[in-house]
Amino acid sequence: MEDPQADSSISFLPHLEAKIRQTHNLARLLTKYAEQLLEEYVQQQGDPFGMPGFSPPRLSLAGLSGPSPSHAGLPLSERLRLDAAALGALPALLDAVRRHQAELNPRSPRLQRSLEEAARQARALGAAVETVLAALGSAARGPGPEHSATTALSTANSAASIFSAKVLGLQVCGLYGEWVNRTEGDLSQLVHGGVA
Amino acid sequence: MPAGRPGPAAQSARRPPRPLSSLWSPLLLCVLGVPRGGSGTHTAVISPQDPTLLIGSSLQATCSIHGDTPGATAEGLYWTLNGRRLPSELSHLLNTSTLALALANLNGSRQQSGDNLVCHARDGSILAGSCLYVGLPPEKPFNISCWSRNMKDLTCRWTPGAHGDTFLHTNYSLKYKLRWYGQDNTCEDYHTVGPHSCHIPKDLALFTPYEIWVEATNRLGSARSDVLTLDVLDVVTTDPPPDVHVSRVGGLEDQLSVRWVSPPALKDFLFQAKYQIRYRVEDSVDWKVVDDVSNQTSCRLAGLKPGTVYFVQVRCNPFGIYGSKKAGIWSEWSHPTAASTPRSERPGPGGGVCEPRGGEPSSGPVRRELKQFLGWLKKHAYCSNLSFRLYDQWRAWMQKSHKTRNQHRTRGSCPRADGARREVLPDKL
């Protein structure tokens, strides 16, 4: 007699694989959009932003940093958890950059739309990665990343300068690209390796 | 520590820029000069931070270094502005930890987010930055014009001050109020018909004048336009006439009949409205305009070329609405409607009017009568209350008789009728 549970898990696998492929495709698409966002951002800030070799000091962002060098060596499920956490923290940062660019570059509605889109896309990709993790039996760690970012309050002692705000926006756009790219890489391993 | 000296206009700027901390959520630590990393990192502060300056003015700035490595010095530091290294003769050491910069005769800012003035360490790394806003105060906006579509709304357009580009983001605000009472209102829906326009969608009074003006504001000051006073009823426009139909007039090869409907939004108010028709040959860009169509909703175009496709458009001016004495504003043209005149049955180049050769006995009295009739027609060559039914019958008869004659005629040159006047006849009288 056939085991109905085994039947349901077998029928579940194609759906999961389809979901993983779909999420991977989304990450690949967003990698392209992230590159375009960064180009558009540096163009609006003026030189030296966007010039070869421009490398301002990295500022401390509460709750988010780039993928660490040891990321690739972690187990896949842990990598995907970190990807989901970063993607969860990015929308609030991208929204903050957008609000500021509305003041700094009011005649650039396209940049503001791109930042708004990027926040939406990061949220969507993060949710998709969490769905994949849940389906694999590896739930994302709580509390939610946005909640972490909100609770980690850091305010400058003095008013932030416009230049540092431009640098911060550059960093956020860069982080968005880094994490989307990292997520695409981690998911591709899942796509090619199959659901074990 | 010496501060930069902005131009005098900057000191009198009515709207100093908001501190950016008010814009950032508490998520972010936003002070440049606090990088992550190990000890021994130099940081610096530029003063003034984000100044606003008049074009042509001077700036004195400083880059003050502080680091956790003993002996941190300003020696070897240099400045860049918008990515370009500034000549070393423009800067000098104030003391061991401060590099000063003197810029004269500043040009307008290259980008709306401000020029990037950066202080670099000897190895090129960035220590600090400041954004310069160099521009002009706004000039008085002028040339405000407004129109109301079907008395329901008001759209206004204006021209920015004489110099146009102030190099700084300039905010324009359209204000309006009822002339003798009421508070100032601010238009909210901008850029509806171009960069300097605003749309007021509702709640407008009629039969009472409004005062309308534009205020321009940027970091260096503000300016206000002259006040325009108008009654909404004096600036009404409407939709183009719908349902424009163009059709042949029986077999008449040089006429087309044009009919349309009054714009429905104002159909109860358009008894004094004026219409205009324009038409062109299919492969031409030159429109011919028929001006004096008064308030009728049909008209006949005459003197056209046979066998030719014509495009026709109609527009409406709601003149005299609610007793307004002003000229009114023409609507947009209706969508082009096309029709073709019947082909000419007569041979000859271009299909123009071929007059019969002199000496042919059968053409003599007809030709004379035609000349007389055309002479009379020239005096009455616009829409008027004349009966042309007989003329139509005469025309049809003329064409039939030409057709009969041409069957017996030898081939010869026929003058083209290019110079024939195009006249408009009422469709029904």
Side-chain angles (χ1 to χ4, degrees):
Chain A
M1 196 166 175
E2 288 173 347
D3 180 357
Q5 276 190 335
D7 283 347
S8 68
S9 64
I10 288 169
S11 67
F12 173 69
L13 272 177
H15 295 292
L16 175 57
E17 284 173 353
K19 180 68 186 173
I20 291 169
R21 264 196 302 277
Q22 186 186 51
T23 308
H24 175 246
N25 288 340
L26 177 61
R28 198 157 49 183
L29 179 66
L30 297 190
T31 304
K32 295 275 179 287
Y33 287 165
E35 285 170 17
Q36 287 169 8
L37 172 66
L38 190 60
E39 266 178 43
E40 204 171 341
Y41 183 85
V42 299
Q43 204 173 23
Q44 295 300 325
Q45 312 317 308
D47 290 331
F49 292 84
M51 284 173 73
F54 178 64
S55 179
R58 280 183 93 88
L59 304 174
S60 172
L61 284 174
L64 185 65
S65 57
S68 70
S70 59
H71 182 99
L74 296 170
L76 183 56
S77 59
E78 183 59 25
R79 280 186 267 149
L80 288 174
R81 268 194 219 102
L82 290 171
D83 294 339
L87 291 167
L90 276 163
L93 294 168
L94 288 163
D95 275 340
V97 174
R98 180 186 55 79
R99 284 195 299 274
H100 197 247
Q101 286 297 312
E103 289 272 331
L104 272 190
N105 286 298
R107 288 203 301 262
S108 306
R110 212 174 90 165
L111 173 62
Q112 289 153 46
R113 273 198 303 274
S114 298
L115 287 163
E116 195 175 3
E117 269 303 306
R120 228 189 327 260
Q121 288 156 6
R123 203 171 278 122
L125 183 59
V129 172
E130 283 177 11
T131 303
V132 168
L133 277 169
L136 290 172
S138 308
R141 250 181 240 140
E146 288 197 60
H147 179 61
S148 305
T150 306
T151 57
L153 296 179
S154 294
T155 50
N157 291 329
S158 56
S161 73
I162 292 175
F163 186 80
S164 62
K166 288 184 178 184
V167 169
L168 207 58
L170 176 71
Q171 195 171 322
V172 169
C173 292
L175 282 171
Y176 172 57
E178 285 179 56
W179 279 107
V180 165
N181 192 41
R182 184 66 265 162
T183 304
E184 192 268 324
D186 294 337
L187 285 168
S188 80
Q189 193 177 340
L190 203 54
V191 167
H192 298 306
V195 177
Chain B
M1 185 178 296
R5 290 186 210 130
Q11 293 167 358
S12 62
R14 294 186 198 180
R15 192 172 65 83
R18 286 193 276 158
L20 287 177
S21 56
S22 68
L23 298 171
W24 288 103
S25 75
L27 295 170
L28 309 171
L29 177 67
C30 312
V31 175
L32 187 63
V34 187
R36 294 181 298 163
S39 60
T41 311
H42 298 321
T43 57
V45 172
I46 292 179
S47 179
Q49 275 291 306
D50 311 328
T52 303
L53 304 142
L54 205 56
I55 285 180
S57 64
S58 303
L59 169 70
Q60 295 199 12
T62 56
C63 176
S64 298
I65 192 168
H66 49 84
D68 50 6
T69 304
T73 172
E75 189 123 14
L77 301 190
Y78 65 92
W79 298 92
T80 61
L81 181 62
N82 290 327
R84 285 184 61 195
R85 186 162 180 163
L86 294 175
S88 55
E89 53 266 27
L90 295 179
S91 54
H92 63 279
L93 279 172
L94 271 185
N95 52 51
T96 54
S97 61
T98 304
L99 180 71
L101 171 71
L103 291 175
N105 197 22
L106 291 165
N107 292 324
S109 284
R110 199 193 284 188
Q111 54 266 343
Q112 58 179 314
S113 58
D115 295 320
N116 299 309
L117 179 67
V118 179
C119 178
H120 297 261
R122 184 193 293 270
D123 63 359
S125 59
I126 293 173
L127 296 176
S130 177
C131 290
L132 313 183
Y133 291 87
V134 187
L136 297 166
E139 295 217 358
K140 196 164 101 166
F142 64 101
N143 199 21
I144 303 177
S145 65
C146 301
W147 62 92
S148 170
R149 197 176 182 98
N150 301 323
M151 302 184 289
K152 287 190 171 14
D153 62 9
L154 193 68
T155 302
C156 295
R157 211 163 23 194
W158 61 90
T159 307
H163 286 138
D165 192 0
T166 57
F167 297 93
L168 301 172
H169 170 64
T170 300
N171 191 51
Y172 292 90
S173 182
L174 182 90
K175 301 275 183 84
Y176 60 103
K177 67 180 281 289
L178 286 164
R179 188 179 195 178
W180 294 303
Y181 53 94
Q183 60 190 15
D184 290 4
N185 301 290
T186 303
C187 181
E188 292 177 2
D189 190 11
Y190 288 86
H191 318 303
T192 45
V193 287
H196 302 291
S197 63
C198 200
H199 176 239
I200 304 164
K202 58 183 180 174
D203 298 334
L204 288 164
L206 304 177
F207 304 105
T208 181
Y210 276 94
E211 292 183 339
I212 298 169
W213 68 98
V214 176
E215 292 177 2
T217 309
N218 69 18
R219 288 170 176 261
L220 283 172
S222 60
R224 182 172 139 149
S225 70
D226 292 335
V227 173
L228 171 70
T229 304
L230 59 78
D231 187 327
V232 170
L233 286 175
D234 291 337
V235 292
V236 177
T237 186
T238 186
D239 311 306
D243 300 333
V244 176
H245 291 286
V246 184
S247 55
R248 293 178 176 181
V249 182
L252 294 176
E253 56 198 38
D254 67 334
Q255 294 186 22
L256 288 173
S257 169
V258 186
R259 293 171 201 278
W260 60 91
V261 176
S262 297
L266 294 181
K267 66 177 172 55
D268 296 332
F269 307 100
L270 292 177
F271 35 87
Q272 288 188 69
K274 295 186 270 192
Y275 294 94
Q276 256 185 5
I277 299 172
R278 70 177 187 179
Y279 61 96
R280 63 173 175 85
V281 172
E282 181 182 20
D283 52 4
S284 167
V285 296
D286 298 323
W287 292 94
K288 289 186 169 50
V289 177
V290 180
D291 241 320
D292 199 358
V293 188
S294 67
N295 66 340
Q296 299 175 26
T297 55
S298 62
C299 215
R300 193 188 291 186
L301 305 176
L304 307 178
K305 288 183 190 170
T308 304
V309 175
Y310 284 87
F311 285 98
V312 180
Q313 291 178 294
V314 186
R315 65 178 181 175
C316 175
N317 182 328
F319 172 72
I321 197 158
Y322 275 130
S324 168
K325 299 283 186 282
K326 295 287 173 77
I329 299 175
W330 287 102
S331 71
E332 296 291 322
W333 290 103
S334 62
H335 291 303
T337 304
S340 63
T341 47
R343 285 195 180 282
S344 173
E345 299 277 340
R346 289 162 287 179
V353 173
C354 294
E355 293 193 336
R357 285 185 177 187
E360 289 186 43
S362 61
S363 68
V366 173
R367 181 184 164 84
R368 273 198 300 278
E369 200 169 348
L370 174 63
K371 269 178 119 174
Q372 285 169 359
F373 189 85
L374 287 174
W376 174 85
L377 197 62
K378 277 179 188 173
K379 288 184 191 172
H380 303 91
Y382 42 82
C383 298
S384 57
N385 287 327
L386 293 172
S387 172
F388 280 100
R389 283 205 189 95
L390 283 176
Y391 172 72
D392 290 341
Q393 290 172 2
W394 174 81
R395 288 275 308 166
W397 178 83
M398 280 298 296
Q399 285 168 17
K400 274 187 192 165
S401 63
H402 270 294
K403 194 174 163 183
T404 309
R405 270 200 294 277
N406 287 336
Q407 286 170 353
H408 304 293
R409 183 191 297 181
T410 54
R411 204 173 260 282
S413 66
C414 294
R416 289 177 64 91
D418 290 337
R421 281 189 58 175
R422 282 154 174 67
E423 294 155 352
V424 176
L425 308 171
D427 190 46
K428 282 181 187 173
L429 297 164

